[in-house]
Amino acid sequence: MNHDSSKRNRRAVKTAVIYARFSCSKQREASIEDQVRVCHEWCQRNGYAIVAEYSDHAMSGRTDERPDFQRMISNAGESDIVLVYMMDRFSRNEYDAPIYKRELERHGVRLVSALEAIPDSPEGVIYEKLLEGLAACESMKTSVRTKRGMKGNALKCMHNGVKVFGYSFGHDGRYVVNEQEAPLVRECFEHRLNGDSINSIAANLASRGVKTYTGRPCSGTMVCAMLHNEKYIGTYRWGDVEIPNGMPCIVDKETFLSVQGVKGRKVRANESWGTFPLSGKAVCAGCGHNLVGVSGRNHAEVKYEYYRCKNCKLVRPVRADWLESEIASHLREVLSDRKESLRVATLVAKSEKAGEIERRKSRANELLDEAQTGLSNILKAVEAGILAPGTKERIAELEAQRDRAELDLRMIKEERTFSEEDFADFLQCGRSLNDAALLKAFVWQVLVSDEEVTVTLNYENKKGEPEILSLVRPDSVWLPGQGSNLRHAD
């Protein structure tokens, strides 16, 4: 006999604790006071002494993250029964109910409903399971009704209570630009386009008193979410609803798209260091190693930037400004032809679609099936009286995996069609398509020798072969420490 059972045997009077819960999402539901009153009356009729009362206000029964509920579970053993107004007050979650009932039973405590007479017989087990199922079903139906109403609002581009920095809620329930916050949003995008790190942008805003909606100083997480939020270019999103131009823009589309590919750069001791967009792509023809970007100032305070091989001295360094601008100029000349820019756009579209969506869909379905099977197996084990350590944590992991897989499937289903004409326009006229962006998008490899530079692009020519550019190197090179361009000495 365990310690909890011996304590109860010494008690002359049967004891009970009362648990009450009120969910603010329900408009016609017994209040905490009504639940407690009915439970008190039940205890008086049945001869139970009340040793404690626990209650959670405005807490959903679909979650176990309820402070008083957890206190009651941790204190299990202080009474003979846990009394609830109705079984759905204890839990509305199909997994939580059997787990926590099993925990109470482990301490010799029964769960009792004041309004639902559950017989202490084999048939009572069936009736209790039915009540648990009905509670879970009703909770799901309530969730569906709530979501249906919110989706109706979303189709009208209403905010549904979702706060977004830079916007306020209008009288019609839609988003309106907040003229105090919107300039800060634009400032974040400008800083990011200049290569500033997310943390430095956040630190700057925090120093000026910008806070999250929870009252904390602006953080890197807030800035990162801001820089990837399509609401700023007018795309309204809520759940599976996506409406282009559904809300006012704060940032233009070109700026937003450009920022998505920006990486922060380091700034040291008042020195502006080069970004070197060909790093990892420029290769030494002498030894095959990658060239590294070098930036600094010589004794005459003249800045120099170049690519060089640290592994060998077979190939002389090449000036970064010459190499990058020459390749970018050739690319712009190629793309100035409308037919060629459309051909490139078509190749990009095929590359984006070629099997990638199907692979993502297959993986999402695989993860979804795995999560659903795992949850089903855990529920069967709990109902059979098997409660392994870490069960609750595993359920949380599987539910998160299931939700993520379902979200991925919705996103795949709703992906927008790639516009080849629009992309060709961007290649020819996009203001944000600077030299660095061109090099990043189109260059696959740059093979550097002393005499020439061979550039392999990441798309094919009309013959189906890799597009190649050949550049003749100039005789001069900017040597570090010299402060001027000198002729290469053979």
Side-chain angles (χ1 to χ4, degrees):
M1 183 181 294
N2 61 33
H3 180 64
D4 293 325
S5 297
S6 63
K7 282 198 304 181
R8 277 189 295 277
N9 287 338
R10 292 196 299 268
R11 288 197 287 253
V13 180
K14 296 180 291 185
T15 57
V17 299
I18 294 174
Y19 176 72
R21 179 183 62 81
F22 176 73
S23 173
C24 62
S25 65
K26 302 284 286 178
Q27 293 181 352
R28 299 182 63 187
E29 185 170 29
S31 68
I32 295 289
E33 293 75 16
D34 288 339
Q35 293 177 45
V36 171
R37 175 179 53 77
V38 171
C39 288
H40 271 272
E41 292 171 355
W42 186 95
C43 288
Q44 288 175 357
R45 289 196 307 271
N46 292 277
Y48 278 83
I50 300 169
V51 297
E53 293 181 8
Y54 300 92
S55 59
D56 286 305
H57 295 254
M59 303 291 287
S60 170
R62 298 191 69 188
T63 176
D64 64 346
E65 295 179 1
R66 293 171 267 156
D68 260 24
F69 179 82
Q70 290 297 337
R71 280 205 308 123
M72 177 193 69
I73 296 296
S74 64
N75 293 337
E78 64 181 333
S79 64
D80 296 298
I81 66 170
V82 168
L83 182 64
V84 293
Y85 176 75
M86 294 178 69
M87 282 298 184
D88 62 2
R89 298 303 86 203
F90 184 75
S91 175
R92 286 181 178 270
N93 185 288
E94 57 185 315
Y95 303 107
D96 287 348
I99 288 176
Y100 287 109
K101 282 178 61 182
R102 181 71 177 171
E103 180 66 15
L104 292 176
E105 290 169 3
R106 196 168 65 84
H107 292 84
V109 181
R110 289 189 305 119
L111 178 65
V112 178
S113 168
L115 293 187
E116 297 154 329
I118 302 175
D120 188 12
S121 65
E123 292 77 10
V125 175
I126 298 175
Y127 182 41
E128 189 173 355
K129 293 296 181 185
L130 177 61
L131 291 175
E132 289 176 6
L134 289 172
C137 179
E138 180 59 29
S139 179
M140 291 178 184
K141 286 167 64 177
T142 300
S143 176
V144 168
R145 288 193 293 267
T146 302
K147 288 180 179 178
R148 186 185 300 127
M150 296 182 78
K151 185 169 183 177
N153 290 341
L155 292 172
K156 301 174 185 177
C157 297
M158 300 175 73
H159 56 73
N160 271 334
V162 179
K163 295 181 179 180
V164 182
F165 189 85
Y167 295 97
S168 299
F169 298 158
H171 296 300
D172 59 356
R174 303 171 192 264
Y175 288 105
V176 295
V177 175
N178 184 313
E179 297 302 338
Q180 284 71 47
E181 296 177 353
L184 296 174
V185 174
R186 298 187 188 100
E187 185 180 318
C188 286
F189 278 85
E190 290 171 5
H191 282 302
R192 189 60 175 163
L193 272 181
N194 290 332
D196 294 350
S197 71
I198 287 176
N199 285 337
S200 67
I201 297 172
N204 177 272
L205 292 180
S207 69
R208 293 153 60 185
V210 176
K211 295 183 178 180
T212 66
Y213 284 118
T214 59
R216 298 181 178 180
C218 178
S219 63
T221 301
M222 175 182 173
V223 173
C224 184
M226 188 184 301
L227 296 174
H228 292 85
N229 194 340
E230 290 190 344
K231 284 187 170 72
Y232 293 122
I233 56 174
T235 301
Y236 176 92
R237 285 183 185 275
W238 187 87
D240 59 353
V241 176
E242 176 182 330
I243 302 177
N245 303 316
M247 53 193 297
C249 296
I250 290 180
V251 178
D252 66 84
K253 193 170 184 178
E254 285 187 16
T255 299
F256 182 87
L257 293 175
S258 299
V259 162
Q260 306 315 302
V262 171
K263 293 183 178 180
R265 64 166 182 259
K266 295 180 180 179
V267 179
R268 311 176 193 170
N270 298 323
E271 175 67 85
S272 296
W273 294 72
T275 54
F276 299 105
L278 294 177
S279 291
K281 298 182 178 184
V283 177
C284 174
C287 66
H289 279 72
N290 285 343
L291 303 184
V292 297
V294 180
S295 179
R297 296 183 185 275
N298 61 15
H299 61 276
E301 289 300 309
V302 176
K303 182 180 178 181
Y304 57 85
E305 291 180 351
Y306 60 94
Y307 293 90
R308 74 178 180 88
C309 180
K310 284 189 172 183
N311 186 61
C312 73
K313 295 184 179 180
L314 300 177
V315 176
R316 58 194 168 106
V318 58
R319 282 178 50 173
D321 60 343
W322 175 83
L323 182 63
E324 294 164 6
S325 64
E326 281 294 305
I327 297 175
S329 295
H330 278 74
L331 283 170
R332 291 190 189 281
E333 184 177 346
V334 170
L335 296 173
S336 64
D337 184 307
R338 181 64 181 182
K339 290 183 179 180
E340 186 64 14
S341 64
L342 274 172
R343 189 179 74 83
V344 172
T346 301
L347 290 172
V348 171
K350 288 180 179 178
S351 174
E352 289 289 320
K353 295 174 184 176
E356 180 60 26
I357 290 179
E358 201 55 42
R359 285 193 295 272
R360 287 168 52 202
K361 185 177 180 180
S362 175
R363 179 57 177 161
N365 277 317
E366 180 183 326
L367 291 172
L368 180 59
D369 291 342
E370 179 185 299
Q372 290 174 334
T373 301
L375 288 169
S376 177
N377 290 339
I378 289 175
L379 183 56
K380 290 177 183 177
V382 170
E383 290 176 341
I386 303 171
L387 189 60
T391 298
K392 191 62 188 174
E393 291 75 12
R394 181 56 178 158
I395 288 175
E397 290 175 5
L398 290 172
E399 287 180 332
Q401 179 177 319
R402 177 197 63 197
D403 295 344
R404 180 63 199 174
E406 290 175 345
L407 176 61
D408 287 344
L409 288 171
R410 288 199 301 271
M411 291 176 67
I412 291 169
K413 184 178 178 181
E414 298 162 8
E415 281 185 351
R416 291 166 291 184
T417 305
F418 183 93
S419 172
E420 296 171 13
E421 288 285 348
D422 288 348
F423 189 62
D425 290 340
F426 176 70
L427 292 177
Q428 291 191 295
C429 311
R431 294 195 306 274
S432 60
L433 196 63
N434 53 29
D435 287 359
L438 268 176
L439 298 176
K440 181 179 179 181
F442 290 100
V443 175
W444 181 74
Q445 186 187 75
V446 179
L447 188 64
V448 179
S449 69
D450 269 354
E451 293 76 27
E452 65 178 358
V453 175
T454 303
V455 183
T456 304
L457 303 180
N458 58 14
Y459 66 91
E460 298 175 345
N461 58 26
K462 294 178 181 178
K463 297 179 181 180
E465 301 170 346
E467 188 73 40
I468 303 292
L469 296 178
S470 294
L471 309 176
V472 178
R473 285 190 61 175
D475 290 336
S476 61
V477 61
W478 196 342
L479 297 176
Q482 302 301 316
S484 62
N485 286 336
L486 301 178
R487 288 186 64 80
H488 173 65
D490 295 323

